[in-house]
Amino acid sequence: MAVESLATEMDTAVRVVHLASSLCVKVQEKLRLPSSTNGGHVKSKDDDSPVTVADWGVQAIVSWVLAEVFGGQSLSIVAEEDTESLSKAESLGLLGAVSNAVNEALSEAPKYGLPKPDKPLGSTEILEAIGRCNSVGGPKGRHWVLDPVDGTLGFVRGDQYAVALALIENGKVLLGVLGCPNYPLKKECLSNGCNQTTTSKPAAGSVLKGCVMYAKRGTGQAWMQPLVAGGISESAATLLKVSSVDDPALATVCEPVERANSNHLFTAGLANSMGVRKQPMRVYSMVKYAAIARGDAEVFMKFAQSSYKEKIWDHAAGVVIVEEAGGVVTDAGGRDLDFSKGVYLEGLDRGIIACSGQVLHEKIIGAVYASWESSSL
Ligand SMILES: Nc1ncnc2c1ncn2[C@@H]1O[C@H](COP(=O)(O)O)[C@@H](OP(=O)(O)O)[C@H]1O
Ligand SMILES: [Mg+2]
């Protein structure tokens, strides 16, 4: 399938990520309320990671909109959440909260240039929409890949998170969209969480943080639109360009906040050995890919424990956006990430390295080889 023919796919994906981001903003605001009034918005999954009304809500609206626009019959969506815990009798209250969030968001869909249901969706339809996203991807055909709320820990902590939607065809990521509702105007605020609203007053209908980034494979362009309340500011898209810094001494390295998700000691040694001087910028979620694409950081490294298998929805959208903005993304052996093997990035060599350019990338790959032997991973 030629990339030029993806106009409707790209347009719909950007619009639905704007809509989904607006749902997330509202749910995150509610999370700041005392737990008795926030509707019990956070649950624990089997692996103890949190899941919220926003995770299920976003998955439901993206699934519903994609099915409306492209037809539900042959639609394949690979996404993070399932309906198991949400369908249990004791989750009735939670399902009600998800339904409210979904129907509130979908009632606004026309303002985002998207269809809306004739009447509010019932619980069964919502569970169906969430449950439809149970595809496992693979080497053939077209698969939408969704992480409804990436960095859920950041989300529940009032920090960075992303809505990530990508389209894979025959194992290649053709387009990616990243909604980053807390992405600050100033890059310093990415890691220290400056209070955006105290710096100046947002103009009516707009906010000082938040954007949607998107790119189509092979165009050599990645774009950013601001997130505005109640719709899309069509005229305000700007081109993204990676940083031109190629001196490690001037480079900013970003990595996951959680030690459990990446070996901070190993990446510190790597950074040190190649002459990086700045402290790492620790940020939740795929916002790290956004930071590379926007030129706010030069390197993103993630070295998970060897027992952990990276999932395609945690990388697909970010990879195409960084690459089209001029950057490079590979595993630690310098090979492209393989999105053709199903839900997991099978065959990933040790870790993930996203860079603003070839020079830094080659230095890091070299440093990985030099230091791997002595690491304890
Ligand atoms: N033990 C582990 N090692 C590495 N990554 C992990 C992990 N457990 C969860 N993750 C992934 O790391 C993502 C968060 O990224 P980061 O640490 O960069 O903020 C999680 O996404 P979700 O929050 O969508 O589950 C999850 O997919
Ligand atoms: Mg994720």
Side-chain angles (χ1 to χ4, degrees), residues 142-162:
R142 188 181 265 213
H143 309 282
W144 289 94
V145 179
L146 171 70
D147 193 342
V149 179
D150 178 49
T152 312
L153 205 54
F155 179 76
V156 300
R157 291 178 176 169
D159 206 315
Q160 296 298 325
Y161 65 97

Side-chain angles (χ1 to χ4, degrees), residues 80 147 149-152 256 260-261 283-285 288 302 304 308 314:
E80 179 161 9
D147 193 342
V149 179
D150 178 49
T152 312
N261 292 1
V283 183
Y284 292 103
S285 82
K288 293 183 280 295
K302 178 176 179 184
Y308 182 78
D314 282 314

Side-chain angles (χ1 to χ4, degrees), residues 45 47 49-50 55 80-81 147-155 160-162 255-262 283-288 300-305 307-311 313-315:
K45 292 206 259 194
D47 64 357
S49 66
D55 297 71
E80 179 161 9
E81 306 308 332
D147 193 342
V149 179
D150 178 49
T152 312
L153 205 54
F155 179 76
Q160 296 298 325
Y161 65 97
E255 63 181 356
V257 176
E258 292 298 301
R259 280 174 194 282
N261 292 1
S262 184
V283 183
Y284 292 103
S285 82
M286 256 186 276
V287 162
K288 293 183 280 295
F300 159 36
M301 290 194 272
K302 178 176 179 184
F303 286 85
Q305 287 165 354
S307 57
Y308 182 78
K309 288 170 84 174
E310 296 286 349
K311 290 154 194 122
W313 55 69
D314 282 314
H315 302 281

Side-chain angles (χ1 to χ4, degrees), residues 45-62:
K45 292 206 259 194
D46 291 346
D47 64 357
D48 276 344
S49 66
V51 58
T52 72
V53 164
D55 297 71
W56 284 302
V58 167
Q59 191 161 314
I61 62 169
V62 172

Side-chain angles (χ1 to χ4, degrees), residues 71-90:
Q73 286 308 70
S74 58
L75 194 63
S76 165
I77 309 176
V78 187
E80 179 161 9
E81 306 308 332
D82 61 42
T83 53
E84 202 190 321
S85 63
L86 197 58
S87 318
K88 289 185 179 149
E90 69 260 28

